[in-house]
Amino acid sequence: MLIKPIISVILCTYNNQDSLRETLKQLVKQEVKDAGDFEILIIDNNSSDETEATVAEYKRSCDLNIRYIFEKKQGLSNARNRGVSESKGTYLLFTDDDADLPTFWVSKYLEMINKKQPDCLYSRINVLWDQPQPWWFDNRYNTLFVHLDYGEKEFWVDDFEYEFFGKNFCCKKSVLKDQGGFDANLGRSASVLAAGEETAIFRGLVERQKKILYFPGAEVGHRLKDVEYSLEYTERKILDGANSTYLVHKKFANRRLFDRPLYTVKNAFLQLAVNFTRFIRAAIIVDPKDRFYHYLQIRLQLKLLLLWVKN
């Protein structure tokens, strides 16, 4: 009789074989007492590079339970949902092909699961800068670059303030399936730099009062692609993300106007007033970094209003 693993590591990848190789190199070196406690699922989301051969190389070189799964339906949420359906673990631990993983990553999650028995748990993410930061960057862009750090102490999360990201979070499979998995309308695809599927999962867990634990001890790194240093990529990511933001607002709206989320239009007008005022001030005092930030925020709020009108 096969013993069910405690954790299924689900790593989704798309045309990023070089970075995937680095992450796999770290995954196969995880220091755990019993290798049977976890399995590794690599979900290839319709890649056209040598992703399959890269995974096969690591399957041959170690004794860990590694499974390669090809998901033709494009989109990160589709890939993650395939991982959920194929997994055998009680808990599902998600990461990406650009994650830098310490050797104790899985063991720390196993330790916290054994001690706390949470429904969901997650840890820190630190951006790894291998080039100088762009001139326009400051901490206001941290979430855009998937940086997460809520401090040195673990705590139970019971509000919407402390959201997790898909690069480093773990959830009971049964709980995730009860929520319907990841919403394919929200996640990233080959052509759209959207997000939000994790936000929908997180907000659903909070609303259902599930046991959500933040702990700092399993930090992962985020390796940046060259394109992520560009101004154009950042603009696109912010504006593509407006679609997901609106759909999340719509999904969780308590008050509506013409079957549209009232919060979206109220908050957009408020933020437009704030950001336009700060944009003018930054222009007057010649602060290009602050001016650019508020320019992007104005474009974001205008797109949200447009989406609200179109519904």
Side-chain angles (χ1 to χ4, degrees):
M1 180 179 177
L2 293 175
I3 299 176
K4 183 177 179 181
I6 299 171
I7 287 177
S8 294
V9 175
I10 298 177
L11 190 160
C12 301
T13 185
Y14 172 70
N15 282 347
N16 200 19
Q17 67 184 67
D18 292 336
S19 183
L20 173 65
R21 182 174 285 109
E22 292 301 310
T23 302
L24 284 174
K25 187 186 300 182
Q26 295 160 349
L27 260 180
V28 300
K29 293 180 179 178
Q30 291 299 301
E31 298 171 350
V32 294
K33 292 180 180 179
D34 185 348
D37 284 344
F38 78 108
E39 63 172 353
I40 300 169
L41 278 66
I42 310 300
I43 314 299
D44 180 351
N45 194 197
N46 205 25
S47 297
S48 57
D49 62 4
E50 298 301 315
T51 290
E52 184 174 8
T54 300
V55 178
E57 172 188 336
Y58 282 91
K59 285 185 67 174
R60 289 192 299 268
S61 65
C62 74
D63 297 326
L64 294 176
N65 183 4
I66 302 176
R67 286 191 279 152
Y68 169 84
I69 299 164
F70 186 83
E71 174 53 55
K72 186 174 183 180
K73 193 172 183 181
Q74 201 73 60
L76 180 55
S77 290
N78 292 318
R80 285 174 171 167
N81 286 333
R82 180 67 183 276
V84 173
S85 65
E86 297 277 355
S87 63
K88 298 176 182 177
T90 303
Y91 284 82
L92 310 181
L93 176 54
F94 293 90
T95 194
D96 298 325
D97 58 17
D98 55 5
D100 203 73
L101 307 175
T103 56
F104 53 79
W105 183 58
V106 171
S107 65
K108 283 293 183 181
Y109 272 96
L110 288 168
E111 177 187 334
M112 297 308 295
I113 287 169
N114 184 54
K115 285 171 59 177
K116 302 292 187 176
Q117 299 294 308
D119 296 309
C120 175
L121 63 163
Y122 61 100
S123 194
R124 295 191 287 197
I125 305 168
N126 182 43
V127 179
L128 305 177
W129 299 95
D130 60 358
Q131 300 178 32
Q133 293 180 354
W135 66 265
W136 44 265
F137 181 84
D138 61 32
N139 288 339
R140 291 175 292 187
Y141 297 93
N142 275 343
T143 56
L144 200 67
F145 281 75
V146 199
H147 173 85
L148 185 153
D149 190 346
Y150 299 139
E152 297 292 335
K153 295 182 179 180
E154 66 185 56
F155 59 87
W156 294 103
V157 178
D158 58 6
D159 59 37
F160 295 146
E161 182 177 356
Y162 300 101
E163 184 176 339
F164 53 68
F165 298 136
K167 199 177 301 294
N168 192 15
F169 93 98
C170 184
C171 190
K172 275 186 178 177
K173 181 176 180 177
S174 58
V175 171
L176 194 56
K177 291 184 74 174
D178 284 346
Q179 290 211 174
F182 295 91
D183 188 339
N185 294 314
L186 298 175
R188 180 172 296 198
S189 67
S191 59
V192 179
L193 299 178
E197 72 274 36
E198 299 134 9
T199 299
I201 295 293
F202 173 70
R203 291 177 71 96
L205 292 172
V206 173
E207 287 194 344
R208 295 167 62 202
Q209 298 182 324
K210 295 298 181 179
K211 294 173 62 181
I212 307 169
L213 178 70
Y214 164 79
F215 72 106
E219 177 179 317
V220 308
H222 175 201
R223 293 191 298 271
L224 298 177
K225 305 178 183 69
D226 288 344
V227 70
E228 292 180 87
Y229 288 84
S230 73
L231 183 151
E232 294 79 14
Y233 185 88
T234 299
E235 287 190 71
R236 182 182 161 205
K237 197 171 183 181
I238 287 174
L239 295 177
D240 283 358
N243 300 283
S244 298
T245 298
Y246 177 71
L247 289 172
V248 170
H249 288 178
K250 190 173 182 179
K251 185 171 185 175
F252 291 95
N254 293 318
R255 300 177 63 191
R256 297 175 183 271
L257 180 66
F258 308 123
D259 197 34
R260 295 163 170 84
L262 186 58
Y263 172 82
T264 303
V265 69
K266 288 177 62 178
N267 189 65
F269 277 119
L270 175 62
Q271 292 303 317
L272 274 174
V274 170
N275 284 291
F276 184 74
T277 301
R278 292 177 179 174
F279 173 82
I280 297 298
R281 178 183 180 276
I284 292 171
I285 66 174
V286 193
D287 185 342
K289 180 183 290 189
D290 201 46
R291 182 179 61 189
F292 178 65
Y293 174 80
H294 293 296
Y295 162 75
L296 290 179
Q297 293 304 306
I298 289 168
R299 291 187 64 190
L300 170 62
Q301 301 308 324
L302 288 174
K303 185 167 184 181
L304 284 169
L305 285 173
L306 180 61
L307 291 169
W308 192 87
V309 170
K310 290 182 174 180
N311 199 25

